């Protein structure tokens, strides 16, 4: 039985998500940010954001829609064309970004608590991973601000030819609910460094940290209108950003299904630039010659980190037949040590799924796995009576054509698959519509490099998993997306290249 840490508490008399316990962190902002002013939605509407550990309402947040997005785009356009951000000395822009990173760091405990409260992830993970990575991302791009440069190009004739890398303009950014504060940093960092202005929509499930970070951006001295934050729903606020004629570029992280909708909206409006970081069904491949204990720990982390709510989760675990039974036994033992429960208990290693909708989706996949003949090794049930907790779940004897092996589950459900040799696992690993990430566990360096070359994925980890750094680009092949986040590569998403040719005759 999976270890259950201390259960989430509910205030006396609360029932089924209707009441509200005393919150572990103060909610400082629930309005939207437009042109440096915190304001209600034009419609006056609000929506509830829930604590996934209890189902309680945390707060009511301003619900933006088309009218609010339009107002924000006008503010962002004015800030881009008339404001100081694009025109200021790039080194000064970097200095402000460094100050912004410092403020996020100074408030990291508050932000981590907000993240755990709104998202459900263990506080230990928010403090140990999400906040440090977000802070590092802002500092990384602060360093790039004065290093974005073009080239001088020798051409035929008496001409001086050079290129300029100019900010693309007003960018729309739509971020997901699984790593809200980190995905905000991945989007804001390169856009701000290049001198763009922004209209951002946080996920409706997790708007609180995005709004608080907006306050810190203003405190850092980022001019009004440069960052505008519109909470709301995808089909209203998100759609309005994607189809807006005065948005020059849109960046989206989320599902492949929604990514297609955004591409269509961009094409049908003004052919705005589009970058998409979408879903995955990543193969995690363990060869018989691997360090078995390291591979077991890596396979466990690859899937169960963040409640399985990772686009790059190693959800298809391929294990070479020679060690399959031994590996499964070790993995089973490791999974049983998982502690599911209150995200604010520092001993908790797995919190709830983010919402009732996500809980229901994951449970439907578990039912599908059973019905299609996969063997349920462990888990498969709800944990507790409050919130959206699911036991860490492992299926063995999984076939490639099963639904749990083909589709992105986005929850704590792992499929373990047996394979024979290199050629077979390359073919089967690539036999999926996604291509976001992959991993290989082997002591054979030649085999490792061959696998890295032949697996169709934007990132391949060797003898490790989920290693991220602000300097290393991340993005997908196939239906896992277009473009790259992070690193120097991300700056390309937010700049236009202009060629200037001057007659020297």
């Amino acid at each position: 039985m999976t270890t259950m840490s201390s259960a989430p508490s509910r205030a006396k008399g609360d029932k089924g998500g209707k009441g509200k316990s005393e919150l572990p962190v103060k909610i400082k902002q629930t309005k939207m940010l437009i042109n440096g002013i915190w304001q209600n939605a034009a419609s006056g509407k609000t929506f509830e954001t829930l604590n996934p550990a209890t189902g309680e309402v945390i707060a009511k947040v301003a619900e933006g829609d088309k009218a609010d997005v339009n107002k924000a785009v006008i503010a962002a356009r004015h800030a881009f064309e008339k404001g100081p951000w694009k025109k200021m000395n790039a080194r000064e822009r970097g200095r402000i970004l460094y100050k912004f990173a410092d403020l996020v760091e100074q408030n990291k405990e508050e932000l981590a608590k907000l993240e755990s409260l709104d998202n459900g992830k263990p506080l230990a993970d928010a403090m140990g991973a999400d906040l440090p990575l977000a802070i590092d991302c802002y500092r990384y791009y602060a360093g790039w601000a004065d290093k974005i440069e073009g080239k001088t190009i020798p051409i035929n004739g008496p001409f001086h030819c050079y290129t300029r890398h100019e900010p693309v303009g007003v960018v729309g950014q739509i971020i997901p609910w699984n790593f809200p504060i980190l995905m905000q940093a991945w989007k804001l960092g390169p856009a701000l460094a290049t001198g763009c202005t922004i209209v951002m929509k946080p996920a409706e499930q997790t708007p609180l940290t995005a709004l608080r970070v907006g306050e810190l951006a203003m405190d850092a001295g980022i001019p009004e209108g440069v960052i505008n934050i519109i909470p709301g729903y995808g089909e209203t606020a998100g759609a309005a950003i994607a189809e807006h004629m005065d948005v020059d570029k849109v960046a989206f992280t989320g599902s492949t299904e929604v990514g297609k909708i955004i591409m269509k909206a961009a094409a049908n409006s003004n052919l705005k630039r589009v970058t998409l970081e979408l879903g995955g069904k990543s193969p995690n491949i363990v060869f018989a010659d691997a360090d078995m204990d390291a591979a077991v720990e890596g396979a466990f982390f690859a899937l169960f980190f963040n409640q399985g709510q990772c686009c790059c989760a190693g959800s298809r675990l391929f294990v070479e037949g020679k060690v399959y039974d031994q590996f499964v036994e070790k993995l089973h033992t490791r999974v049983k040590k998982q502690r599911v429960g209150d995200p604010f208990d520092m001993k908790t290693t797995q919190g709830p799924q983010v919402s009732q909708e996500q809980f229901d989706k994951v449970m439907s996949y578990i039912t599908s796995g059973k019905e299609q003949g996969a063997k349920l090794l462990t888990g498969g049930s709800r944990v507790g009576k409050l919130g959206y907790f699911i036991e860490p779940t492992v299926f063995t004897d999984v076939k490639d054509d099963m639904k749990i092996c083909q589709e992105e589950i986005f929850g704590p459900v792992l499929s373990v698959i047996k394979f024979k040799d290199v050629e077979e696992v390359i073919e089967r690993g690539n036999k999926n519509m996604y291509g976001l990430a992959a991993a290989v566990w082997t002591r054979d360096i030649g085999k490792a490099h061959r696998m890295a070359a032949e697996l169709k994925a934007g990132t391949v980890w060797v003898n490790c998993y989920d290693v991220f750094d602000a300097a290393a680009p991340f993005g997908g092949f196939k239906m896992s997306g277009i473009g790259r986040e992070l690193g120097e590569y991300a700056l390309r998403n937010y700049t236009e290249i202009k060629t200037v040719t001057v007659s020297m005759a």
Side-chain angles (χ1 to χ4, degrees), residues 51 65 99 162 223 244 275 311 363 368 384 424 449 456 497:
N51 178 354
D65 57 23
K99 184 177 179 182
Y162 63 94
H244 202 289
T275 52
C311 53
M363 293 304 295
S368 172
E424 176 194 313
H449 284 297
K456 296 176 181 177
I497 299 173

Side-chain angles (χ1 to χ4, degrees), residues 27 164 233 274 294 303 331 362 379 446 475 497:
I27 310 302
R164 290 170 49 87
Y233 293 96
V274 176
L303 190 283
L331 180 65
V362 175
I497 299 173

Side-chain angles (χ1 to χ4, degrees), residues 324-373:
Y324 183 87
D325 291 339
Q326 175 191 355
F327 189 92
V328 167
E329 183 179 349
K330 284 178 172 286
L331 180 65
H332 190 194
T333 300
R334 177 63 183 89
V335 171
K336 286 295 185 182
K337 296 178 181 178
Q338 183 80 311
R339 292 180 63 89
V340 181
D342 183 359
F344 285 87
D345 182 341
M346 296 303 283
K347 294 180 181 179
T348 292
T349 55
Q350 181 180 317
Q353 308 313 121
V354 75
S355 65
Q356 183 70 56
E357 179 184 8
Q358 191 63 21
F359 174 91
D360 293 341
K361 176 188 173 185
V362 175
M363 293 304 295
S364 73
Y365 276 109
I366 292 173
T367 299
S368 172
K370 295 175 184 176
E371 291 175 346
Q372 291 191 324

Side-chain angles (χ1 to χ4, degrees), residues 227-503:
I227 297 176
N228 305 274
I229 303 176
I230 311 296
Y233 293 96
E235 57 268 26
T236 52
I241 290 172
E243 65 191 19
H244 202 289
M245 291 294 292
D246 207 25
V247 170
D248 300 302
K249 180 256 189 305
V250 64
F252 169 74
T253 297
S255 72
T256 298
E257 179 185 12
V258 176
K260 290 179 180 180
I261 294 171
I262 287 172
M263 280 202 75
K264 288 179 182 178
N268 290 335
S269 56
N270 60 343
L271 282 179
K272 59 176 61 66
R273 308 293 184 266
V274 176
T275 52
L276 305 170
E277 198 265 277
L278 306 176
K281 195 69 180 174
S282 301
N284 188 14
I285 300 165
V286 180
F287 286 97
D289 63 357
D291 179 328
M292 199 59 53
D293 290 337
V296 167
E297 190 63 33
F300 171 82
F301 182 73
L303 190 283
F304 294 107
F305 176 64
N306 205 48
Q307 296 67 248
Q309 297 172 155
C310 298
C311 53
C312 60
S315 52
R316 289 188 295 151
L317 177 58
F318 290 92
V319 181
E320 191 169 0
K322 298 174 187 176
V323 294
Y324 183 87
D325 291 339
Q326 175 191 355
F327 189 92
V328 167
E329 183 179 349
K330 284 178 172 286
L331 180 65
H332 190 194
T333 300
R334 177 63 183 89
V335 171
K336 286 295 185 182
K337 296 178 181 178
Q338 183 80 311
R339 292 180 63 89
V340 181
D342 183 359
F344 285 87
D345 182 341
M346 296 303 283
K347 294 180 181 179
T348 292
T349 55
Q350 181 180 317
Q353 308 313 121
V354 75
S355 65
Q356 183 70 56
E357 179 184 8
Q358 191 63 21
F359 174 91
D360 293 341
K361 176 188 173 185
V362 175
M363 293 304 295
S364 73
Y365 276 109
I366 292 173
T367 299
S368 172
K370 295 175 184 176
E371 291 175 346
Q372 291 191 324
K375 180 181 177 182
L376 181 61
L377 178 69
T378 188
S381 300
R382 178 176 190 145
V383 177
K385 296 179 180 180
L386 292 177
Y388 315 124
F389 298 89
I390 297 176
E391 289 181 322
T393 300
V394 179
F395 282 101
T396 58
D397 299 336
V398 177
K399 308 301 181 187
D400 291 345
D401 59 353
M402 290 179 179
K403 190 175 180 180
I404 59 171
C405 194
Q406 284 294 313
E407 299 181 13
E408 185 177 39
I409 298 173
F410 226 62
V413 182
L414 177 62
S415 294
V416 189
I417 309 156
K418 187 183 296 186
F419 75 91
K420 293 180 183 178
D421 54 38
V422 171
E423 285 71 22
E424 176 194 313
V425 79
I426 289 173
E427 180 182 355
R428 293 173 71 190
N430 287 332
K431 197 174 181 180
N432 194 275
M433 69 176 183
Y434 296 113
L436 188 56
V440 180
W441 299 82
T442 178
R443 287 187 172 97
D444 184 334
I445 191 66
K447 188 190 298 180
H449 284 297
R450 180 188 172 187
M451 295 295 294
E454 297 201 36
L455 289 169
K456 296 176 181 177
T459 294
V460 179
W461 290 293
V462 177
N463 294 329
C464 57
Y465 209 99
D466 273 348
V467 176
F468 286 95
D469 189 278
F474 182 76
F477 287 20
K478 299 187 282 186
M479 293 181 76
S480 286
I482 298 170
R484 292 294 179 268
E485 308 266 14
L486 300 180
E488 183 178 0
Y489 291 84
L491 297 170
R492 301 176 185 179
N493 301 334
Y494 296 97
T495 55
E496 292 280 22
I497 299 173
K498 178 184 288 182
T499 301
V500 181
T501 302
V502 182
S503 173

